[in-house]
Amino acid sequence: MQDDPHSGMAGSPPRIGMPLPNFRARTTMGMKSLTDYRGGWLILFSHPSDFTPVCTSEFVAIARAADRFAALDCALMALSVDSLYSHFAWIRMIHERFGAKIAFPIIEDPTLEIARAYAMVPPDARDASTVRYSYFIDPRGILRASTCYPVEIGRSVEEMLRMVTALQHADRRGLLAPAEWHPGQPMLRPPSQEIDTVFDAEQASDWFYAPVGDDAA
């Protein structure tokens, strides 16, 4: 892995709102760098190892939703400590057993170099047993959100899609996505920072809680 000299994050845990360090690594679709994905959204997600039940279920679900991620201009890239050849064998098994084609790259990270740099495992980890992170990265290479699941529980693909959609809507409209938000539902205006607005509001809560219809400016 090669650190991006402009990231300012070498050796530091990734933080929301900060650029992620670059890397160049071997994947099931050739050599890939994080910077290859600039200009579009990317979800970089990790899993403990190939040929495990929860990870297999996740990859099947994500592969079946590939068109929905593509419609959001959101690429996918996975990370695992297993070797490239293990990845190949696993994705062939997934295709034969479930009819799901893994059309996104899977990074091999046998030394945990990338996983450690991205704080997906502790610095002194000997294996990837705790790795199940998802990083939501915007077109500028900025980390916008992250999730961490335990090894026993698989990720929600619907929540991954909702996260990207909500971030895109929030960016485009300068609004906030409330709990359980989905496209077509009202969003919220950012709270006013003007005292006059606080007292001029019809309701006492209107200055900080103001729903806006999905088709409103």
Side-chain angles (χ1 to χ4, degrees), residues 87-216:
H87 293 341
F88 285 154
W90 187 41
I91 61 178
R92 175 178 173 173
M93 181 280 297
I94 289 175
H95 185 263
E96 292 182 354
R97 170 71 186 272
F98 301 100
K101 183 178 180 180
I102 306 302
F104 51 83
I106 308 175
I107 302 165
E108 65 169 358
D109 188 27
T111 63
L112 297 178
E113 185 177 4
I114 299 174
R116 288 194 181 98
Y118 278 60
M120 292 172 168
V121 294
D124 58 350
R126 294 180 176 273
D127 59 52
S129 61
T130 60
V131 175
R132 186 170 276 131
Y133 278 82
S134 298
Y135 288 156
F136 298 80
I137 307 166
D138 74 12
R140 300 170 298 158
I142 304 298
L143 177 63
R144 297 296 301 280
S146 64
T147 62
C148 178
Y149 281 72
V151 294
E152 302 88 353
I153 308 297
R155 277 169 280 229
S156 167
V157 174
E158 292 301 323
E159 178 59 16
M160 294 169 72
L161 288 160
R162 192 187 81 94
M163 180 73 79
V164 176
T165 305
L167 287 167
Q168 292 178 350
H169 273 65
D171 283 359
R172 184 167 59 250
R173 302 184 61 201
L175 298 174
L176 310 173
E180 305 298 340
W181 179 86
H182 289 279
Q185 296 178 345
M187 301 187 78
L188 298 170
R189 292 191 189 280
S192 172
Q193 299 182 22
E194 301 294 333
I195 188 65
D196 289 345
T197 306
V198 175
F199 284 96
D200 290 345
E202 183 176 345
Q203 299 290 330
S205 61
D206 286 351
W207 68 273
F208 75 90
Y209 195 88
V212 180
D214 191 55
D215 58 349

